[in-house]
């Protein structure tokens, strides 16, 4: 089957299987979260953590989806970290972050998401973000709206930074590649946001939750540099379907593989943030994937 032959009904079928697997994975995460601690190992740096639960969730999702859909492909954070080739084709591809917010998980901070994004023919088609600790399930399919536990959600209509609460980070993970130069830029961007009169800056330690909070109108914008595609794939669909404005921080079109993003409830606010910030440059991780 060529990619163009996948219909909405096919996406519905893929999505339903994915939801049931994500719910099963949620039981694993919730059970582990209730234990006093997890065994933690580090990956690319001391701020890049992984636990047995991350791996178990990714295995459960990949095995369950492969069983139902043998021709589907996967880009999973833990598989790639363990050396699997990062390969993007036109086939239905699940982009998986088994636990987004692993540091939160390890520190028992209840802000995390099991994230599953579906890309077909290099276009984002569907997204699922499930926080089993809060029990909140966020879902969206291209052109069909965004939902929290089955109820529609919508972005805020705040259109100026001096009325906004925004999310951004100082980018602990970016030191490995960009060193202190990156920190100077990030601190100066923070300073500019404060001087602009923004109501607040938040950092939830979980990119998918940051994006979900934009999607449901809890915060007004989110900007981050240095992300990987699995941090954003699922939530990007949810933000767009909730009416959000999602772009590259420099103002160009959003590309899931460009390692950075800016999203906001309103275009005017996104543009204000885009022109205020000094932008960090990251090499794209593959061919572009658009919404
Ligand atoms: C991280 C979180 C964090 C973001 C990092 C990500 P992980 O993902 O989303 O908010 O700032 O860039 O790597 O490692 O917890 O899956
Ligand atoms: Ca992540
Ligand atoms: Ca993760």
């Amino acid at each position: 089957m060529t990619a163009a032959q996948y219909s909405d009904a096919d996406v519905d079928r893929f999505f339903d299987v994915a939801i049931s697997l994500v719910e099963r994975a949620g039981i694993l995460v919730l059970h582990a979260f209730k234990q006093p601690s997890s065994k933690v190992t580090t990956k690319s740096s001391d701020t890049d953590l992984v636990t047995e639960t991350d791996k178990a969730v990714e295995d459960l999702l990949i095995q369950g989806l492969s069983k139902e859909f043998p021709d589907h492909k996967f880009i999973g954070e833990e598989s790639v970290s363990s050396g699997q080739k990062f390969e993007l084709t036109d086939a239905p591809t699940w982009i998986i972050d088994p636990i987004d917010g692993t540091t939160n998980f390890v520190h028992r901070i209840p802000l995390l998401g099991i994230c599953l994004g579906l890309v077909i023919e290099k276009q984002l088609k569907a997204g699922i973000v499930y926080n089993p600790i809060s029990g909140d399930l966020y879902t969206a399919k291209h052109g069909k709206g965004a939902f929290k536990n089955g109820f529609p959600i919508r972005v805020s209509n705040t259109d100026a930074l001096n009325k906004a609460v925004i999310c951004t980070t100082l980018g602990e993970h970016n030191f490995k590649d960009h060193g202190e130069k990156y920190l100077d830029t990030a601190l100066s961007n923070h300073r500019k946001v404060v001087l602009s009169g923004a109501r607040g800056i938040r950092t939830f330690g979980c990119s998918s939750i940051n994006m979900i909070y934009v999607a449901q109108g809890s915060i007004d914008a989110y900007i981050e540099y240095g992300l990987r595609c699995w941090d954003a794939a699922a939530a990007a669909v949810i933000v767009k379907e909730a009416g959000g404005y999602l772009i590259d921080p420099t103002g160009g079109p959003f590309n899931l593989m460009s390692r950075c993003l800016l999203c906001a409830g309103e275009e005017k606010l996104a543009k204000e943030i885009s022109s205020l910030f000094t932008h960090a440059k990251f090499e794209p991780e593959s061919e572009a994937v658009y919404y």
Side-chain angles (χ1 to χ4, degrees), residues 32-245:
F33 191 85
K34 285 180 176 168
Q35 311 302 313
S37 63
S38 308
K39 190 169 164 281
V40 186
T41 23
T42 57
K43 296 186 285 181
S44 62
S45 73
D46 287 348
T47 60
D48 191 9
L49 312 182
V50 63
T51 69
E52 290 306 315
T53 311
D54 296 71
K55 292 178 188 162
V57 167
E58 187 157 316
D59 288 349
L60 185 156
L61 296 175
I62 294 179
Q63 280 167 22
L65 287 162
S66 308
K67 193 165 155 237
E68 290 290 328
F69 312 116
D71 56 333
H72 287 198
K73 309 276 185 215
F74 302 91
I75 297 176
E77 177 179 14
E78 304 313 336
S79 311
V80 171
S81 295
S82 315
Q84 195 179 90
K85 197 167 163 231
F86 186 114
E87 196 179 11
L88 180 69
T89 66
D90 279 346
T93 301
W94 295 94
I95 303 197
I96 302 174
D97 193 334
I99 301 180
D100 184 33
T102 299
T103 307
N104 283 352
F105 173 72
V106 166
H107 287 257
R108 299 304 189 251
I109 297 166
L111 293 170
L112 54 88
I114 300 170
C115 301
L116 207 43
L118 176 63
V119 169
I120 304 180
E121 238 177 5
K122 303 189 181 74
Q123 278 201 317
L124 278 160
K125 294 289 183 196
I128 301 167
V129 175
Y130 181 40
N131 180 349
I133 318 304
S134 66
D136 290 329
L137 175 67
Y138 294 89
T139 56
K141 290 176 212 159
H142 198 293
K144 305 268 171 70
F147 301 87
K148 174 184 180 180
N149 301 326
F151 295 97
I153 52 173
R154 174 122 205 118
V155 292
S156 77
N157 58 10
T158 305
D159 65 0
L161 201 42
N162 65 5
K163 295 194 191 71
V165 174
I166 78 157
C167 255
T168 187
T169 76
L170 290 178
E172 301 89 315
H173 304 292
N174 297 335
F175 284 120
K176 206 171 120 283
D177 300 324
H178 290 241
E180 283 196 35
K181 194 167 149 277
Y182 177 82
L183 180 60
D184 292 339
T185 309
L187 284 167
S188 119
N189 285 335
H190 262 58
R191 186 169 190 277
K192 289 182 202 170
V193 174
V194 174
L195 290 175
S196 74
R199 284 189 182 160
I201 303 177
R202 299 289 183 270
T203 299
F204 297 120
C206 177
S207 51
S208 58
I209 294 285
N210 297 341
M211 294 174 82
I212 286 308
Y213 277 14
V214 172
Q216 68 179 21
S218 303
I219 62 160
D220 305 299
Y222 165 51
I223 180 166
E224 186 160 352
Y225 304 89
L227 294 169
R228 302 296 306 267
C229 61
W230 44 76
D231 296 316
V237 185
I238 298 167
V239 167
K240 284 292 286 181
E241 289 298 321
Y245 193 73

Side-chain angles (χ1 to χ4, degrees), residues 9-48:
D10 289 322
V11 173
D12 287 348
R13 211 158 41 85
F14 303 159
F15 189 82
D16 290 347
V17 171
I19 290 279
S20 67
L21 290 165
V22 163
E23 283 172 346
R24 272 176 52 201
I27 297 169
L28 286 184
V29 174
L30 182 61
H31 178 75
F33 191 85
K34 285 180 176 168
Q35 311 302 313
S37 63
S38 308
K39 190 169 164 281
V40 186
T41 23
T42 57
K43 296 186 285 181
S44 62
S45 73
D46 287 348
T47 60
D48 191 9

